[in-house]
């Protein structure tokens, strides 16, 4: 049943203090009521350097973020593991290893708690921990897919912009590299050829 799905999912460390009052759009446990969905955004890691960088990048519409989707009192996200599922849940705004930044209300889902848990059970199979990729398949991509599947639309673009740009650059570099390797054997070696003998004083 749904309870088994929730129990089987990896649970993150829930020993955290609530974020300070006054943080941007802090919703917390109120998102549990009536199927409300909230996207919680974190600065990646706990270093002040990343937090400072995000304060600069955020007005430009990008940044280095971790995020999770709160629905029915649990915050769901995705992380890389050597084996098994990468989907896990934690108390809202309390994902360990990251610094809570802000919360974005995403609306309400028409699905029940039971239906959401069943959906997450299916996602846990598809989003295996070893499939994690920092640029192409990370927590933000998972959160975006979850939000779309439960009917509240895509997450804000500023959360995924940096990863998307990085992925495009990486793919372009990889493509150019593979092209140079594959084309190199086909490029003929151009050398100076000796002139063909000819009779310049033909009559």
């Amino acid at each position: 049943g749904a309870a088994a799905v929730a129990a089987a999912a990896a649970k993150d460390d829930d020993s955290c203090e609530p974020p300070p009052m006054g943080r941007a759009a802090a919703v917390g446990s109120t998102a549990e009521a009536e199927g409300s969905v909230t996207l919680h955004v974190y600065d990646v890691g706990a270093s002040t350097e990343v937090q400072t960088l995000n304060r600069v990048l955020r007005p430009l519409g990008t940044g280095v973020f971790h995020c999770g989707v709160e629905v029915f009192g649990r915050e769901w996200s995705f992380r890389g593991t050597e084996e098994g599922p990468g989907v896990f849940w934690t108390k809202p705004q309390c994902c360990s290893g990251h610094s809570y930044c802000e919360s974005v209300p995403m609306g309400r889902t028409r699905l029940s708690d039971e239906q959401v848990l069943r959906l997450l059970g299916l996602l846990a199979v598809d989003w295996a921990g070893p499939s994690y990729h920092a640029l192409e398949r990370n927590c933000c991509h998972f959160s975006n897919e979850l939000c779309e599947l439960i009917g509240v639309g895509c997450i804000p673009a500023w959360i995924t912009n940096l990863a998307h740009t990085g992925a495009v650059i990486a793919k372009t570099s990889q493509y150019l590299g593979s092209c140079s390797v594959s084309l190199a054997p086909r490029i003929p070696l151009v050398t100076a050829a000796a002139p063909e003998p000819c009779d310049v004083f033909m009559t």
Side-chain angles (χ1 to χ4, degrees), residues 41-60:
V41 184
Y42 302 76
D43 295 319
V44 168
S47 76
T48 56
E49 288 80 3
V50 173
Q51 296 175 31
T52 301
L53 176 64
N54 279 347
R55 299 296 87 76
V56 175
L57 294 177
R58 179 67 177 84
L60 302 177

Side-chain angles (χ1 to χ4, degrees), residues 128-140:
S131 71
Y132 180 93
H133 188 283
L135 296 178
E136 299 178 7
R137 190 177 174 84
N138 59 33
C139 57
C140 300

Side-chain angles (χ1 to χ4, degrees), residues 27-28 30-40 68-74 103-111 116 143 146-148 150-153 155:
V27 178
T30 58
E32 182 176 357
E34 300 179 6
S36 294
V37 180
T38 304
L39 182 73
H40 297 302
V69 178
E70 180 186 355
V71 57
F72 294 112
R74 295 184 182 92
S103 296
V104 181
M106 296 295 297
R108 288 185 171 86
T109 179
R110 294 184 178 181
L111 301 182
V116 170
S143 296
L146 176 56
C147 282
E148 287 187 313
I150 61 178
V152 295
I155 67 175

